[in-house]
Amino acid sequence: MKNSKSKFVTKTILKDSIVESFKKLNPKYMFKNPVMFVVEIGFFVSLISTIFPSIFGDKGSNLRIYDFIVAVILLITLLFANFAESIAEGRGKAQAETLKKTRRDTKAKLLDSNGNTKIINAGELKKGDRVLVEKGDIIPNDGEVVDGIASVDESAITGESAPIVKEAGGDFASVTGGTKIVSDWLKVRITAVPGESFLDKMIGLVEGASRQKTPNEIALNTVLVSLTLIFLIVLVALYPMASYTGASISISTLVALLVCLIPTTIGGLLSAIGIAGMDRVTRFNVIAMSGKAVESCGDVDTMILDKTGTITFGNRLAAEFVPVKGADKRELIDYSVVCSLKDDTPEGKSTVELGYKLGSGVEKNKYDDVHFEEFTAQTRMSGVDLSNGTSVRKGAYDAIVERVKKLNGNIPPDLEQIVNKVASMGGTPLVLCVGNRIYGVIYLKDTVKPGLVDRFRRLREIGIKTIMCTGDNPLTAATIAKEAGVDGFIAECKPEDKIDAIEKEQSEGRIVAMTGDGTNDAPALAQADVGLAMNSGTTAAKEAANMVDLDSDPTKILEVVEIGKQLLITRGALTTFSIANDVAKYFAIIPAIFMAAIPKMQVMNIMRLSTPYSAILSALIFNAIIIPLLIPVAMKGVKYKPMKSETLFLRNMFIFGLGGIIAPFVGIKIIDMLITPLVRILSLN
């Protein structure tokens, strides 16, 4: 499902969006967007004025032409606004069609109480039924593995080709309908009824069918409606003022003035921005269960993260070679590399990598024929036997000490101190010996993922506090926290401690995000304002969260927060641009209305527009074409850089506020120059 690099708009989406733009002209649909509904009323008023000019007292054929032009421009404005929303919806529907291809008329092997199987349609399965899925079978619906172990191809859902091992118990027992068994078999207990599976929910969400307006969107919509009412009152008051001064204002001019002054730009793009925000999250392979979840990401103040798998790799990797007193560090490094050349564990590979990084001169091809002793729970060590009879071993402190003593070797007096120091820092000490001589310790530690320090710094710049949760002791936790650059940590953390931490932050008015994948994470995921569950995790975790990461990458919460921030910034930036537009339109239309009756109003015609009619039509045309020009910004989002809220606000006010004032002055003047000859031909003067 990964398609972040897919085309912005395909031919199919473009074609469907044009058709939808006309369908959405239905007043029942337009009523949901009050600002654009006012524009539609204005269109009908201008159209009626064109057909029946006597109704509004308008006289003359040239005025009917003017009314008709206004009506056409208003219709185009409506179509452009509908087109913006349809483009956003079209991208979601295209993703939904991709997902629907994975949903087929699957057969299921229903198990009865005696373990016998019966072939039925997947649609007949009920919650609680048990089914058998074998190699090559499609899992018929969402469920929990109750028996068996198998590799599952989840590429239809996640886009990743590598199969995932699923087994009963633990955090990898959840399976998704539509995925395929590629090896062995599983017995699955169905946990969802047909039509309510995870795949069905995904399809509904990306289609936009389940999208509800978010609180921020509702609040902004209320502001836009209020501004519209204010300008409507101003317009009502303006008509008698114009009559008093002797200025004659046609009904279409009043409509044009109202449409230009109300925030039509953001009104036409508002819905598209919200849909596009969810679309960006979905293309990032995260399913948001609601638009509110995406917006909440933009408001996050505190992020609670598990250590293992999120901040660290979870595998203990070689970090340092510590020689005992009297031993040569170069020899310790070389023997550690020799001992690990055939060790395919993460510890072994990291030892070789670190050794060569520190300048080891060991030549791999010289040790192709050495005998390798694998690590076992009984010996608690691994190593190689060289062709000259020398044995090299690395392993647990007590196991190596016992081996050296049996070979009549001496135990270095500082060995125990080195081992204890490594252990106190949360590391794992591997002691290395050659024959009966101990050379030193390989310090293994849980390594912080690369790039996280910078990402945590970026989060700190935008005012987000990070808290690491770990079951490690306080000393180890402090070491990892300092290395990773998180703001705080909770050591020896239990599931209830996460809930307590979330509630504490929320009680102080903060919005909290966290990740999790296990059943024990479900309560905390439900408590958090943004809960990101791993798709590989349990059903309980996915049901408790309001976002699901299909790639099961816990660090993705960092990017998801930035997407949420980008959504809010995009909406704010375009709102600022839209309202700033009205200032320039005011200087275009108001002088045009009153110049004939009050010649001194010419001073306000700072754009030096040719005629009153060309000024009004230019402002109206600019008002229409700015909507499609801003569709790419609404869809892709305003470029986001981590910085403090105050700095970000001032930056966007400067770029979009000032830009929103300057752009209409330039655009309206250019349009006026282009249409002035046509206005004169039509005798609109």
Side-chain angles (χ1 to χ4, degrees):
M1 203 184 84
K2 277 187 176 178
N3 51 3
S4 58
K5 294 183 180 179
S6 60
K7 288 183 178 180
F8 173 64
V9 177
T10 64
K11 288 183 179 179
T12 302
I13 292 176
L14 186 62
K15 180 181 177 182
D16 292 343
S17 296
I18 292 172
V19 174
E20 285 296 314
S21 299
F22 284 92
K23 289 182 179 179
K24 290 178 186 289
L25 289 173
N26 186 332
K28 288 183 178 180
Y29 184 87
M30 294 300 298
F31 186 74
K32 298 176 184 177
N33 188 335
V35 175
M36 300 313 297
F37 184 62
V38 169
V39 177
E40 186 167 45
I41 293 174
F43 159 69
F44 283 119
V45 169
S46 296
L47 189 63
I48 292 170
S49 180
T50 302
I51 301 172
F52 307 105
S54 59
I55 292 179
F56 299 105
D58 294 337
K59 305 294 182 181
S61 59
N62 61 336
L63 199 56
R64 290 182 68 177
I65 294 173
Y66 168 70
D67 292 343
F68 176 72
I69 294 173
V70 170
V72 170
I73 296 172
L74 293 180
L75 176 62
I76 293 172
T77 303
L78 290 168
L79 291 173
F80 281 158
N82 290 343
F83 181 73
E85 185 175 11
S86 298
I87 285 288
E89 290 175 345
R91 282 161 64 92
K93 288 176 181 178
Q95 289 180 289
E97 288 302 317
T98 302
L99 290 171
K100 284 177 181 178
K101 291 177 182 178
T102 67
R103 191 171 58 180
R104 61 188 73 176
D105 188 17
T106 308
K107 299 294 181 181
K109 299 172 182 175
L110 180 65
L111 289 167
D112 60 22
S113 56
N114 297 320
N116 299 318
T117 60
K118 177 184 177 183
I119 306 297
I120 63 170
N121 289 323
E124 299 175 30
L125 289 172
K126 300 184 295 294
K127 196 172 182 178
D129 283 346
R130 297 194 175 206
V131 297
L132 173 68
V133 280
E134 300 174 293
K135 182 178 180 180
D137 290 347
I138 301 294
I139 296 175
N141 209 335
D142 296 356
E144 294 275 356
V145 178
V146 294
D147 191 17
I149 179 170
S151 295
V152 179
D153 178 7
E154 296 186 332
S155 59
I157 305 296
T158 67
E160 298 293 340
S161 58
I164 306 297
V165 176
K166 299 286 184 177
E167 58 184 325
D171 294 341
F172 292 90
S174 171
V175 291
T176 306
T179 55
K180 185 178 182 180
I181 301 288
V182 294
S183 73
D184 303 297
W185 57 270
L186 296 172
K187 289 182 180 178
V188 177
R189 177 174 56 83
I190 301 299
T191 58
V193 297
E196 296 182 8
S197 68
F198 182 62
L199 186 60
D200 291 312
K201 291 177 183 177
M202 285 171 60
I203 292 170
L205 286 163
V206 298
E207 280 185 323
S210 302
R211 181 181 177 271
Q212 301 295 321
K213 286 188 176 181
T214 64
N216 281 340
E217 197 171 344
I218 293 171
L220 180 56
N221 206 50
T222 303
V223 171
L224 298 183
V225 171
S226 301
L227 287 173
T228 302
L229 289 173
I230 290 170
F231 283 120
L232 192 58
I233 294 170
V234 170
L235 199 71
V236 172
L238 187 66
Y239 190 76
M241 289 174 60
S243 299
Y244 178 77
T245 60
S248 176
I249 305 179
S250 69
I251 190 67
S252 291
T253 298
L254 286 174
V255 169
L257 178 60
L258 177 63
V259 170
C260 284
L261 293 186
I262 64 176
T264 49
T265 304
I266 187 61
L269 295 171
L270 185 59
S271 182
I273 293 169
I275 296 171
M278 290 190 69
D279 176 65
R280 282 196 295 276
V281 171
T282 304
R283 287 172 181 271
F284 200 60
N285 254 18
V286 172
I287 296 297
M289 299 307 178
S290 68
K292 183 180 179 181
V294 180
E295 282 203 355
S296 294
C297 287
D299 291 325
V300 164
D301 301 300
T302 303
M303 196 178 297
I304 295 179
L305 304 159
D306 278 326
K307 185 202 78 171
T308 306
T310 303
I311 294 175
T312 65
F313 285 103
N315 295 322
R316 296 186 179 272
L317 307 177
E320 187 180 354
F321 298 101
V322 186
V324 295
K325 189 175 181 180
D328 183 84
K329 186 173 182 178
R330 177 61 56 193
E331 290 184 334
L332 170 62
I333 295 173
D334 287 344
Y335 278 123
S336 297
V337 171
V338 169
C339 190
S340 305
L341 285 174
K342 293 194 174 184
D343 185 353
D344 291 328
T345 64
E347 293 88 347
K349 290 179 179 178
S350 66
T351 299
V352 174
E353 184 179 348
L354 180 63
Y356 282 124
K357 186 177 180 180
L358 295 177
S360 173
V362 173
E363 298 179 28
K364 293 182 181 181
N365 57 357
K366 291 184 178 181
Y367 298 92
D368 290 340
D369 299 328
V370 298
H371 173 69
F372 176 64
E373 286 284 341
E374 291 189 16
F375 177 90
T376 65
Q378 290 75 30
T379 62
R380 297 172 62 218
M381 67 178 74
S382 65
V384 294
D385 294 325
L386 304 179
S387 56
N388 60 6
T390 304
S391 60
V392 185
R393 295 289 186 272
K394 62 179 182 183
Y397 165 73
D398 52 350
I400 296 295
V401 166
E402 185 180 348
R403 175 184 174 85
V404 169
K405 285 181 178 179
K406 285 182 179 179
L407 296 174
N408 299 318
N410 296 320
I411 308 302
D414 59 339
L415 177 62
E416 187 174 358
Q417 181 183 351
I418 295 171
V419 168
N420 290 337
K421 183 179 179 181
V422 170
S424 69
M425 292 189 295
T428 300
L430 286 184
V431 181
L432 181 125
C433 68
V434 181
N436 64 354
R437 182 187 174 187
I438 294 176
Y439 276 75
V441 173
I442 304 171
Y443 171 21
L444 303 178
K445 72 171 185 176
D446 200 354
T447 308
V448 172
K449 293 183 177 180
L452 279 187
V453 175
D454 180 61
R455 289 159 83 180
F456 287 139
R457 179 186 56 77
R458 285 161 52 197
L459 290 173
R460 197 175 298 107
E461 287 176 354
I462 57 177
I464 296 177
K465 180 171 72 173
T466 50
I467 299 175
M468 179 186 76
C469 292
T470 176
D472 291 336
N473 62 65
L475 186 58
T476 302
T479 302
I480 295 294
K482 183 179 180 181
E483 186 178 347
V486 294
D487 299 309
F489 64 89
I490 303 173
E492 298 175 346
C493 183
K494 300 181 288 295
E496 54 268 28
D497 294 331
K498 294 180 182 179
I499 298 177
D500 292 341
I502 293 170
E503 290 178 340
K504 179 184 176 183
E505 294 292 323
Q506 289 174 331
S507 67
E508 296 174 2
R510 297 188 178 97
I511 304 297
V512 183
M514 78 157 287
T515 62
D517 58 3
T519 300
N520 62 347
D521 290 325
L525 287 168
Q527 180 65 39
D529 299 282
V530 178
L532 178 65
M534 303 298 103
N535 188 45
S536 61
T538 63
T539 300
K542 287 190 280 188
E543 289 180 348
N546 50 22
M547 304 183 91
V548 177
D549 175 22
L550 302 180
D551 295 330
S552 300
D553 177 7
T555 62
K556 196 176 284 187
I557 187 70
L558 305 173
E559 280 86 358
V560 170
V561 166
E562 291 193 347
I563 290 175
K565 290 279 186 188
Q566 186 185 40
L567 170 62
L568 296 180
I569 290 167
T570 300
R571 184 176 294 150
L574 292 183
T575 300
T576 302
F577 184 89
S578 177
I579 295 174
N581 263 219
D582 297 338
V583 176
K585 296 171 193 170
Y586 173 87
F587 280 99
I589 296 182
I590 296 297
I593 293 175
F594 290 97
M595 272 191 301
I598 311 174
K600 290 186 178 180
M601 288 287 287
Q602 180 68 30
V603 175
M604 293 184 64
N605 184 20
I606 58 178
M607 284 184 269
R608 296 292 180 261
L609 302 178
S610 304
T611 68
Y613 286 114
S614 71
I616 293 167
L617 292 177
S618 297
L620 206 57
I621 292 170
F622 177 85
N623 191 66
I625 64 175
I626 197 65
I627 294 176
L629 291 177
L630 289 176
I631 289 178
V633 179
M635 295 296 294
K636 294 181 180 179
V638 173
K639 189 175 181 181
Y640 171 69
K641 291 182 178 179
M643 60 182 71
K644 290 183 178 179
S645 300
E646 298 83 357
T647 307
L648 193 61
F649 174 76
L650 292 173
R651 174 179 175 269
N652 286 334
M653 280 294 291
F654 177 76
I655 295 175
F656 291 93
L658 187 61
I661 293 175
I662 294 174
F665 275 96
V666 176
I668 291 173
K669 179 60 179 177
I670 293 173
I671 295 170
D672 178 75
M673 293 169 63
L674 293 174
I675 69 170
T676 295
L678 179 63
V679 169
R680 287 173 178 164
I681 291 173
L682 296 174
S683 300
L684 295 176
N685 47 48

